[in-house]
Amino acid sequence: MPEQPRTLIADRRIQDDEWVLCEEDAARPENGRVIVPLVEWQEAPGDDVAPLLASDTELTPELAEQLLDAPLIAIDFPKFTDGRGYSIARQLRERHGYRGQIRAVGDVLIDQLYYMSRCGFDAFLLREDQVVEDALNALDTFSLSYQPGTDTPEPLFRRRMRESA
């Protein structure tokens, strides 16, 4: 049975989720928008079907090209300690130019959101025990970042050098 719609943080706002996450071997709802495992999406892509990428997905140039047409891409975090999804999101944004929604699903914790957003995620389905209002505040944990990210491609030292010139 598919998961019930949950509250979603997207574009730094709490939103109702119009997508239903249907993990492997889950029954799909008759109508509505669904997120399905990558193989299932590849068999029947469409505007109302989005792929769920496992954390061990190899993002080949061919796969990245296919994903450019996806209405959104969900990346699974099977454990909060599994950081491979960060790399997938960053590659999708920076190397392959994906501009749609990239959503973190699975074992997603509040203290990860700021770093996920810097890697290209713009939507988050939190773990059930996380407080959504606290999650929104966590997105603004830091006002400056030293390292470049998908949100600020220039490192802090270069920005400061440019501003002082």
Side-chain angles (χ1 to χ4, degrees), residues 99-112:
R99 297 289 168 236
Q101 183 184 98
I102 299 179
R103 179 182 295 199
V105 301
D107 199 14
V108 178
L109 304 178
I110 290 170
D111 58 348
Q112 298 172 299

Side-chain angles (χ1 to χ4, degrees), residues 2 5 9 30 33 60 75 125 135 158:
I9 295 176
E30 299 272 332
R33 304 177 108 185
T60 63
I75 300 174
L125 273 180
R158 285 209 178 115

Side-chain angles (χ1 to χ4, degrees), residues 6 29 36-37 78 142 148:
R6 296 188 299 188
V36 297
F142 302 102

Side-chain angles (χ1 to χ4, degrees), residues 3 8 39 44 58 69 81 84 100 105 122 125 131 139 145 163:
E3 281 189 23
L8 171 73
V39 173
E58 182 182 348
D69 294 330
T81 57
R84 296 175 288 180
V105 301
D122 53 5
L125 273 180
V131 178
L139 287 167
S145 296
E163 292 167 3

